[in-house]
Amino acid sequence: YRATPFVGIAALTGMIVLLIFEFHGQDNISSMTTSPAHLLESEKQINDWFASPHIAQYLQVTADSQERLLQRIEALYDNNPRVGFISVASFLPSLKRQNENLELIEKKLFAPSGAWSTLCRYVAVDCHTVPDLSHPPLTQEVLLAANLPLAVTLPFGNSALVKIAQTAESDLLAVEQYAANTAGVTYFDDKKKIDYLLQSFRKEIGQILLLFLFVVFAVLFVLLKKTALLLCLPPIISMLTALCVTVASGVSVFHLLALFLVFGLTVDATAFYTRMGFTYDVWWASSMSAVTSLAVFGALIFSSVPMLRHFGEIVFVGVFSSMLITPLIFAYAAQFREKHECII
């Protein structure tokens, strides 16, 4: 039973490590937005209505000629019909596509079995004259001379950007997979890059947190010997309890930053119990201190800003659990000390 406190702290610390590094994290850059959720939802609806393009997700298409470039963009359109794209190919078809469309019109309208001949037979008119469909092809120069909006008529060479209108996440994954398997098509996702940076930052904060706990415990153990076990056990349990709340949504950077505050607030109570004894007056003073901390930081739970809400969740759960767990641990320690005076 002498090793039980050491084993307990090691097991709890191991669970904290698993929650920080092994479970899925919440590294979405949108968690740093300061806009309320209902405003973001309204903005998304407006973007959907107007088919506004994504700012952070787009494609770059390259080819050895403008004709080949337009054909490559059209192939992108054809292979992803559920995605709304905006590019020069939306206004300027390739010469191949223009010829195909002309042949389709001639076949459907002016062939012997086409709509034109059928109409002539229906109205009993001898239609010998067929409209002349020959016309100069639509080119970039024609678009430039048409005084269309600048975004449409910008000259392009052998490379063009393809913007993506507001699209479901599953369709974006399909576009990304298509670009990965298609030469000359590159998919860019600046949002994912930022999310990856947040993930790296979260892991670094987790490592700093574990190093902080190790250093604090080592210093306390040198100064207080085995009493350090009793001093550190309630804060670690409170931190673990607070982290468990985030398992469903994922651990974010702000959850980990809040754990530093949880440790600082909860270790105060254990320090009072350790030095002044587990008495009613000490319990009342530490409980009132915890209640004031809950009132201040607990209000952040109702914030519409995700990062403030994450911070408030951790502090509230950590301090509240400490207010309940710490007296129980010290009460058990007092009974344990009576039976085994040499242990603590």
Side-chain angles (χ1 to χ4, degrees), residues 69-300:
L69 175 66
L70 293 172
Q71 293 179 15
R72 189 162 285 175
I73 298 177
E74 290 167 352
L76 172 66
Y77 286 20
D78 296 339
N79 284 276
N80 299 275
R82 297 177 56 183
V83 181
F85 296 105
I86 303 175
S87 72
V88 65
S90 304
F91 310 93
L92 177 61
S94 65
L95 296 178
K96 178 182 177 182
R97 180 62 58 90
Q98 294 183 49
N99 292 331
E100 290 175 350
N101 293 339
L102 181 60
E103 292 176 1
L104 181 62
I105 293 174
E106 292 175 344
K107 178 180 178 181
K108 294 296 183 180
L109 290 181
F110 302 113
S113 59
W116 177 265
S117 300
T118 302
L119 177 62
C120 291
R121 288 194 300 268
Y122 180 77
V123 298
V125 175
D126 187 11
C127 301
H128 295 289
T129 304
V130 177
D132 184 11
L133 298 181
S134 61
H135 63 85
L138 182 62
T139 62
Q140 182 182 356
E141 289 73 18
V142 176
L143 281 180
L144 290 172
N147 294 324
L148 293 177
L150 181 62
V152 176
T153 59
L154 279 177
F156 67 98
N158 297 342
S159 176
L161 293 181
V162 179
K163 298 181 180 180
I164 304 174
Q166 298 295 324
T167 305
E169 191 68 26
S170 58
D171 294 330
L172 285 177
L173 292 176
V175 172
E176 183 178 5
Q177 185 65 32
Y178 175 84
N181 299 327
T182 305
V185 180
T186 306
Y187 178 78
F188 293 92
D189 191 343
D190 294 338
K191 176 179 177 296
K192 184 176 292 186
K193 294 179 181 179
I194 299 176
D195 291 346
Y196 178 77
L197 290 177
L198 282 179
Q199 180 183 11
S200 302
F201 186 48
R202 173 175 59 84
K203 292 182 177 180
E204 290 180 3
I205 293 296
Q207 294 171 357
I208 294 174
L209 175 63
L210 294 176
L211 179 61
F212 168 77
L213 293 177
F214 175 79
V215 171
V216 169
F217 179 75
V219 171
L220 291 177
F221 187 77
V222 171
L223 298 176
L224 304 176
K225 304 303 179 183
K226 294 180 181 179
T227 306
L229 298 175
L230 190 59
L231 192 64
C232 293
L233 186 59
I236 291 179
I237 294 177
S238 301
M239 294 169 67
L240 179 60
T241 305
L243 270 181
C244 289
V245 177
T246 68
V247 170
S249 59
V251 181
S252 71
V253 171
F254 308 103
H255 289 136
L256 298 184
L257 292 176
L259 287 178
F260 288 95
L261 183 58
V262 170
F263 183 86
L265 293 174
T266 55
V267 79
D268 288 342
T270 58
F272 276 114
Y273 286 132
T274 301
R275 284 303 180 187
M276 303 181 66
F278 181 56
T279 64
Y280 175 80
D281 292 336
V282 176
W283 170 82
W284 177 259
S286 63
S287 297
M288 289 301 99
S289 176
V291 168
T292 56
S293 298
L294 290 175
V296 173
F297 295 102
L300 296 177

Side-chain angles (χ1 to χ4, degrees), residues 7-18:
V7 175
I9 289 182
L12 293 174
T13 305
M15 295 179 66
I16 292 177
V17 172
L18 288 177

